[in-house]
């Protein structure tokens, strides 16, 4: 089903397995696959829960850590994402030797910052158009917003 991108079918199958043997008894791989399917369906909070459950069941598998780190980064939790990714790198350093995963996260982080800058610019323009912002205050406002990021 996953090769056909039928994640709804993957979820239905895995849910039946959970119903049959119980969530706690299901192997960590089931939670990992369920998390991936949920992520593809846009259900990121449920996906994070599945990845965390997989990590709790099998702390030696870097895959759910990598998946969780990508969702944390998507949520703009950069420090948390880095820590999760570091745990994965400690488990499987060979997967990080070529820098592909790290580069992917750096690129995603840069995209998040670009998006943030665009939002801030729109905010500054709107406040300026309303006469609520003077030129010298723009810089201070942008710095305060970035501190909260």
């Amino acid at each position: 089903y996953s090769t056909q991108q039928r994640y709804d079918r993957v979820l239905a199958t895995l849910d039946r397995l959970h119903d049959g043997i119980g969530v706690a008894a299901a192997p960590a791989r089931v939670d990992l696959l369920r998390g991936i399917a949920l992520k593809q369906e846009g259900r990121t909070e449920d996906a994070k829960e599945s990845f965390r459950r997989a990590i709790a069941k099998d702390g030696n598998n870097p895959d759910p850590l990598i998946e969780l780190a990508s969702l944390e980064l998507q949520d703009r939790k950069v420090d948390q994402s880095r820590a999760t990714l570091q745990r994965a790198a400690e488990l499987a350093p060979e997967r990080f030797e070529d820098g592909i995963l790290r580069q992917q996260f750096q690129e995603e982080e840069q995209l998040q910052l670009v998006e943030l800058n665009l939002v801030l610019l729109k905010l500054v323009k709107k406040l300026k158009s309303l006469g609520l912002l003077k030129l010298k205050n723009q810089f201070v406002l942008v710095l305060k917003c970035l501190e909260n990021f």
Side-chain angles (χ1 to χ4, degrees), residues 35-36 39-40 44 47-48 51 62-78 80-85 88 101 104-105 108-109 112:
I36 291 169
K39 179 180 171 184
Q40 293 298 324
T44 57
K48 286 188 271 188
F51 294 138
D63 294 328
L65 288 163
I66 292 168
E67 293 290 342
L68 180 60
S70 73
L71 291 176
E72 291 168 343
L73 185 60
Q74 191 176 343
D75 290 342
R76 295 189 170 125
K77 296 179 180 177
V78 177
Q80 192 174 344
S81 176
R82 280 189 182 142
T84 304
L85 195 59
L101 285 175
Q104 175 188 351
F105 277 89
E108 287 182 33
E109 184 177 332
Q112 296 284 341

Side-chain angles (χ1 to χ4, degrees), residues 91-127:
L91 291 173
E94 70 281 355
R95 302 218 9 221
F96 294 83
E97 288 176 358
D98 58 9
I100 290 174
L101 285 175
R102 289 187 189 270
Q103 180 180 351
Q104 175 188 351
F105 277 89
Q106 288 170 349
E107 289 171 1
E108 287 182 33
E109 184 177 332
Q110 288 171 348
L111 286 174
Q112 296 284 341
L113 289 174
V114 167
E115 287 177 13
L116 176 64
N117 284 332
L118 291 173
V119 168
L120 289 174
L121 284 174
K122 287 179 184 177
L123 176 63
V124 167
K125 285 180 181 179
K126 182 66 173 177
L127 291 173

Side-chain angles (χ1 to χ4, degrees), residues 9-19 30 33-35 37:
R9 302 288 300 174
V10 171
L11 287 171
T13 302
L14 295 175
D15 285 344
R16 276 192 306 225
L17 179 64
H18 273 168
D19 291 343
V30 170
L33 294 174
R34 189 169 190 279

